[in-house]
C-alpha cells in the first residue's frame, strides 16, 4: 500500500491510499494487479471530487473510511456522505463502530474519562444514557453483547465495520456480530435513538488534524513491522 497526498485541485483530502489488489492470475501463474483509491474521512463533496479525480486518472475509488456508528448516524453530513457513496458505488468502512468502548458493557468511569472518541465528538456522558439503554435491551433480546448489536446495526446499513481487537476475546466477540440480523423494526429503533455527533460536521482543519494523527500512527506501525517489532504472529 502506498500513501499518496493529493493537492486541492485533484483530491478531496491530504491523505489517501493507492492500493494494489489482485485482479486475476495469468496462465503463467503471475498475478495481475489493479490500482484503487482508498480515502479517509471524506464528506459528500469530497467523495464526489475523489470519484472525478479517479475517473481522470483511471483509478476507481472503492471505499471511504469514516466515523460511522450509532454515535453519529443522525448527522445530516453523514447521511449526505452515505447517499453519495451509495450512488457512486463507493463502499463505506465504519471507523470506530463501537466508539472505542462507548457502546459496550465495559464502559466504566475510568474508561469514560480516557475515551478518545468521546473527546473527539465532544460527548457528554448523559447523552449516551438512552442510546446505551436501547442497545443493552436489544443485546438481552438477541442474547448478544452490546458490541455485537452495534456492529450488526452497521452491517444492516450496508457498511463494513472496522473493528480493532487487542485480545482473543475481543476478536471472538466481534465475530459474533455475524450469522444473524437485527429485525427491521429493531434497526429503526436504534436509528431513532442514535446521536448526531459526526466528525464530518467538524471544521475542515480539525478533521485534517485527526487524519494527520491517524496517518502518523499508521506509518509508525508499518515502520515497526518493517523492523520486526510487529505484534502479529502466524497461528500454528
Amino acid at each position: 500500500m502506498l500513501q499518496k497526498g493529493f493537492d486541492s485541485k485533484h483530491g478531496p483530502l491530504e491523505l489517501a491510499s493507492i492500493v494494489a489488489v489482485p485482479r486475476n492470475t495469468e496462465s503463467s501463474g503471475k498475478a495481475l494487479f489493479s490500482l484503487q483509491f482508498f480515502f479517509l474521512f471524506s464528506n459528500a463533496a469530497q467523495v464526489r471530487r475523489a470519484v472525478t479525480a479517479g475517473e481522470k486518472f483511471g483509478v476507481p475509488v472503492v471505499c471511504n473510511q469514516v466515523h460511522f456508528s450509532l454515535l453519529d448516524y443522525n448527522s445530516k453530513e453523514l447521511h449526505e456522505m452515505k447517499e453519495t457513496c451509495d450512488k457512486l458505488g463507493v463502499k463505506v468502512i465504519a471507523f470506530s463502530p463501537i466508539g472505542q468502548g462507548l457502546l459496550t458493557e465495559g464502559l466504566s468511569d475510568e474508561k469514560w474519562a480516557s475515551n478518545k472518541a468521546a473527546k473527539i465528538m465532544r460527548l457528554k456522558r448523559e447523552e449516551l444514557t438512552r442510546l446505551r439503554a436501547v442497545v443493552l435491551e436489544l443485546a438481552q433480546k438477541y442474547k448478544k453483547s452490546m458490541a455485537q448489536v452495534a456492529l450488526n446495526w452497521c452491517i444492516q446499513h450496508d457498511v463494513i465495520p472496522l473493528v480493532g481487537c487487542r485480545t482473543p476475546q475481543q476478536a471472538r466477540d466481534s465475530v459474533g456480530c455475524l450469522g444473524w440480523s437485527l429485525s427491521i423494526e429493531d434497526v429503526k429503533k436504534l436509528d431513532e435513538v442514535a446521536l448526531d455527533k459526526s466528525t464530518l460536521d467538524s471544521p475542515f482543519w480539525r478533521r485534517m488534524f485527526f487524519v494527520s494523527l491517524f496517518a502518523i500512527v499508521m506509518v509508525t506501525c508499518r515502520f515497526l513491522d518493517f523492523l520486526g517489532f510487529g505484534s502479529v504472529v502466524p497461528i500454528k
Side-chain angles (χ1 to χ4, degrees):
M1 181 183 290
L2 170 67
Q3 295 294 341
K4 171 66 177 177
F6 293 85
D7 59 40
S8 58
K9 285 175 59 180
H10 300 299
L13 285 178
E14 297 301 324
L15 178 68
S17 296
I18 300 181
V19 187
V21 296
R23 188 176 62 203
N24 56 39
T25 303
E26 294 180 314
S27 57
S28 63
K30 295 181 179 179
L32 298 179
F33 291 86
S34 60
L35 294 180
Q36 299 176 339
F37 278 145
F38 171 82
F39 282 91
L40 300 175
F41 310 107
S42 299
N43 60 26
Q46 292 164 338
V47 168
R48 286 191 290 269
R49 291 203 298 271
V51 170
T52 299
E55 291 174 347
K56 177 179 179 179
F57 293 108
V59 182
V61 174
V62 294
C63 56
N64 179 28
Q65 180 181 304
V66 296
H67 279 279
F68 189 107
S69 73
L70 286 162
L71 300 173
D72 54 17
Y73 178 70
N74 280 320
S75 159
K76 179 182 176 182
E77 286 273 1
L78 190 73
H79 275 271
E80 290 178 353
M81 178 278 301
K82 179 64 165 59
E83 291 171 2
T84 299
C85 285
D86 290 344
K87 180 179 179 181
L88 298 177
V90 177
K91 197 69 176 178
V92 174
I93 296 180
F95 179 77
S96 192
I98 58 175
Q100 298 179 18
L102 293 178
L103 299 174
T104 68
E105 290 90 345
L107 182 62
S108 62
D109 291 339
E110 182 181 355
K111 290 181 178 179
W112 165 260
S114 61
N115 188 280
K116 295 179 181 178
K119 290 180 173 62
I120 291 172
M121 296 182 177
R122 299 185 177 182
L123 274 171
K124 296 179 180 179
R125 190 160 186 176
E126 56 268 24
E127 293 178 294
L128 288 173
T129 302
R130 186 182 176 203
L131 171 58
R132 283 179 53 83
V134 175
V135 175
L136 178 59
E137 174 191 334
L138 294 179
Q140 294 170 343
K141 174 182 176 180
Y142 288 90
K143 294 181 173 55
K144 301 293 181 180
S145 70
M146 290 176 64
Q148 289 168 349
V149 169
L151 294 174
N152 193 270
W153 173 86
C154 287
I155 294 172
Q156 302 313 311
H157 282 287
D158 195 31
V159 303
I160 302 172
L162 180 62
V163 186
C165 301
R166 296 181 180 178
T167 67
Q169 179 56 42
Q170 289 179 342
R172 285 190 290 268
D173 190 57
S174 298
V175 172
C177 74
L178 304 173
W180 63 283
S181 298
L182 290 163
S183 68
I184 295 177
E185 293 75 17
D186 287 336
V187 171
K188 291 181 178 178
K189 189 174 184 178
L190 288 168
D191 291 350
E192 291 172 358
V193 297
L195 305 183
D196 59 356
K197 301 293 183 177
S198 176
T199 54
L200 294 180
D201 296 330
S202 302
F204 181 75
W205 69 266
R206 185 177 295 155
R207 288 192 292 115
M208 286 310 307
F209 176 72
F210 175 76
V211 170
S212 298
L213 289 178
F214 184 82
I216 292 172
V217 172
M218 289 181 63
V219 172
T220 301
C221 289
R222 289 180 180 278
F223 181 67
L224 290 175
D225 284 340
F226 175 76
L227 294 178
F229 293 105
S231 59
V232 178
V233 296
I235 298 177
K236 296 181 180 180

